[in-house]
């Protein structure tokens, strides 16, 4: 009987103790969630805002301030078809009160965000038909909502083509193409193998010389032909030219304004920058005697065209040399003059308002001087022989001294010579010891 009483007493004490323990624990937890004066649990962080032990009112105020600051100072940008669309931050609705209440009643700490449906409708209106058909709208919305909920300090930037449902390659197009005629007996096989399929990522620079081996032996003509084709395709695509060189004389295979010359040993490179949001691939092929170069990738809304304007021919100077071996009344033509040329190259985007031009370059190919050998002044004075070349002499002004030095080695006379200017301002070569 006594044992039964003791057992009941012990059980009662244990029960009372457990009740007091559970009541104490429950009261402690409940303090955090009861109505007025309730506080968020310790270590509560939402969108990088520390709300530990904050009241509901304090938490709502702090989080609202962070949301408004983010809207005022950050942008959301979507790139597509060569354009950048900036999203109005008011398209985002942040449920701050609901987020705080959720954090007080559950373990969830995600800022609740919704996006206005009209935004996606407006975004689609800027897409081409192919992209609009393949655009994965639900994935895009969920990605933007998730990122916006973090209220990160850096801008949110997206590429529309990253949210394509199927095979992205099905949307690839040629955004720029250029063809160059391959000179006779010039093989392009090795160049095609080197450059076909070369990738150019967004924000990266294509370097022609980077694909060449310093110890390699290359057909220089084939390299220049390919460089000209790549340069032309890059201009038509809207790429930015960072480095480009031209030859001293315009090659027969190239159109003026569209030539590029490369030289690995001299460090003369062709460098092209990709300003678009997508990656592009170089396509190189040879068909019907021409090398065809294209940049392949996501289409853009731009419509680039190259304009070669203000083309001007520059007549050559005439250089006069004297020799006692030339008969009176005659002269020898040592070198026929060749006109030089200068052009201004512009690029226009026909998708923009008319009249907007981008200056690309001024291409100048100097003239080649005409060189004549006349009788020595002992035999004939310049006035006696001026009738046959008055027109040519009139152009021999300016920097004719340098031209004379350059071409004087082609004369037949070995007598020492000096340079004198006559009364008409023409520089002429005169044998030493004689005067004009």
């Amino acid at each position: 009987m006594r044992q039964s009483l003791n057992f009941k007493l012990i059980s009662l004490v244990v029960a009372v103790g457990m009740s007091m323990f559970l009541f104490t624990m429950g009261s402690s937890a409940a303090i955090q969630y009861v109505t007025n004066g309730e506080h968020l649990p310790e270590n509560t962080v939402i969108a990088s805002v520390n709300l530990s032990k904050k009241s509901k009112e304090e938490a709502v105020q702090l989080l609202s301030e962070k949301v408004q600051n983010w809207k005022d100072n950050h942008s959301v940008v979507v790139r597509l078809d060569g354009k950048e669309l900036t999203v109005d931050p008011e398209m985002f609705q942040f449920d701050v009160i609901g987020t705080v209440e959720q954090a007080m009643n559950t373990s969830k700490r995600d800022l609740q965000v919704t996006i206005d449906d009209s935004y996606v409708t407006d975004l689609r209106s800027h897409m081409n038909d192919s992209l609009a058909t393949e655009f994965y709208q639900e994935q895009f919305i969920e990605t933007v909502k998730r990122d916006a909920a973090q209220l990160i300090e850096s801008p949110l930037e997206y590429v529309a083509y990253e949210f394509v449902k199927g095979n992205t390659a099905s949307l690839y197009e040629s955004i720029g193409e250029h063809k160059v005629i391959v000179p006779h007996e010039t093989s392009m096989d090795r160049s095609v193998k080197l450059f076909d399929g070369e990738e150019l990522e967004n924000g990266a620079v294509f370097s022609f010389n980077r694909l060449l081996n310093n110890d390699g032996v290359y057909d220089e003509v084939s390299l220049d032909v390919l460089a000209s084709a790549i340069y032309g395709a890059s201009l038509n695509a809207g790429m930015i030219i960072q480095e480009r060189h031209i030859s001293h004389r315009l090659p027969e295979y190239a159109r003026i304004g569209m030539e590029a010359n490369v030289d690995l040993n001299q460090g003369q490179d062709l460098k092209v920058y990709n300003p678009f949001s997508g990656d592009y691939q170089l396509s190189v092929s040879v068909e019907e005697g021409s090398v065809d170069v294209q940049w392949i990738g996501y289409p853009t809304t731009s419509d680039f065209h190259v304009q070669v304007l203000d083309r001007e021919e520059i007549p050559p100077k005439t250089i006069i040399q004297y020799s006692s071996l030339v008969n009176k009344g005659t002269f020898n033509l040592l070198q026929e003059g060749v006109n030089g040329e200068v052009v201004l190259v512009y690029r226009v985007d026909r998708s923009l308002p008319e009249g907007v031009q981008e200056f690309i370059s001024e291409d100048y190919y100097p003239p080649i001087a005409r060189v004549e050998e006349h009788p020595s002044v002992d035999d004939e004075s310049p006035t006696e022989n001026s009738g046959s070349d008055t027109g040519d002499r009139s152009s021999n002004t300016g920097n004719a001294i340098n031209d004379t030095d350059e071409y004087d080695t082609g004369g037949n006379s070995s007598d020492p010579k000096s340079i004198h200017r006559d009364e008409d301002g023409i520089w002429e070569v005169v044998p030493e010891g004689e005067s004009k």
Side-chain angles (χ1 to χ4, degrees), residues 24 46 82 135 157 182 195 207 223 227 287 291 303 335 354 366 409 430:
T24 302
I46 300 176
F135 186 67
E157 299 181 351
V182 179
F195 289 86
S207 168
L223 294 182
E287 299 177 358
V291 58
D303 183 18
Q335 177 173 275
E354 187 175 354
T409 56
V430 180

Side-chain angles (χ1 to χ4, degrees), residues 265-277:
N265 295 326
Q266 298 296 324
Q268 295 183 349
D269 200 358
L270 172 65
K271 292 183 178 179
V272 177
Y273 172 77
N274 174 15
F276 301 111
S277 56

Side-chain angles (χ1 to χ4, degrees), residues 81-249:
D81 297 339
K83 296 180 295 184
E84 289 189 354
L85 303 179
T86 301
V87 180
D88 184 353
E90 296 305 320
M91 291 288 184
F92 296 88
Q93 288 85 44
F94 296 88
D95 186 0
V96 175
I97 296 176
T99 299
V100 172
E101 291 178 346
Q102 175 182 263
M104 300 185 76
N105 296 303
T106 69
S107 60
K108 292 185 177 180
R109 303 290 185 267
D110 297 326
L111 181 57
Q112 298 177 22
V113 184
T114 56
I115 297 180
D116 194 314
D117 292 340
S118 63
Y119 162 67
V120 180
T121 302
D122 180 64
L123 180 64
R124 281 183 173 275
S125 68
H126 293 278
M127 299 180 182
N128 60 52
D129 294 339
S130 300
L131 177 58
T133 301
E134 296 293 332
F135 186 67
Y136 194 176
Q137 178 174 319
E138 292 76 14
Q139 182 187 15
F140 174 76
I141 291 176
E142 289 305 313
T143 300
V144 175
K145 286 169 57 177
R146 182 188 67 240
D147 294 344
Q150 303 302 316
L151 299 180
I152 59 177
E153 296 300 324
S154 58
L156 300 181
E157 299 181 351
Y158 304 93
V159 178
Y161 284 99
E162 293 178 349
F163 301 91
V164 174
K165 298 177 184 178
N167 180 14
T168 58
S170 63
L171 301 178
Y172 288 171
E173 296 179 4
S174 171
I175 66 167
E177 180 180 12
H178 190 64
K179 293 182 178 181
V180 175
I181 297 176
V182 179
H184 184 60
E185 297 183 354
T186 299
S187 174
M188 300 297 299
D189 293 345
R190 189 178 182 190
S191 298
V192 171
K193 291 179 181 178
L194 283 172
F195 289 86
D196 185 40
E198 178 67 14
E199 295 281 350
L200 180 55
E201 298 179 351
N202 166 38
V205 176
F206 164 84
S207 168
F208 191 98
N209 287 352
R210 184 180 62 83
L211 300 181
L212 305 180
N213 187 336
N214 287 325
D215 298 327
V217 178
Y218 303 96
D219 180 347
E220 294 183 2
V221 175
S222 69
L223 294 182
D224 289 338
V225 169
L226 183 57
S228 297
I230 293 176
Y231 174 68
S234 301
L235 284 183
N236 292 325
M239 302 288 186
I240 297 175
I241 310 302
Q242 289 192 339
E243 181 181 346
R244 172 236 182 183
H245 304 268
I246 62 175
S247 306
H248 185 71
R249 306 301 310 162

Side-chain angles (χ1 to χ4, degrees), residues 270-291:
L270 172 65
K271 292 183 178 179
V272 177
Y273 172 77
N274 174 15
F276 301 111
S277 56
D279 302 340
Y280 291 89
Q281 186 178 75
L282 200 62
S283 171
V284 183
S285 61
V286 177
E287 299 177 358
E288 299 180 353
S290 296
V291 58

Side-chain angles (χ1 to χ4, degrees), residues 387-408:
S388 62
D389 62 337
T390 302
D392 291 333
R393 285 191 179 191
S394 63
S395 64
N396 188 15
T397 59
N399 61 344
I401 293 179
N402 294 333
D403 291 338
T404 301
D405 290 339
E406 178 180 354
Y407 290 102
D408 187 47

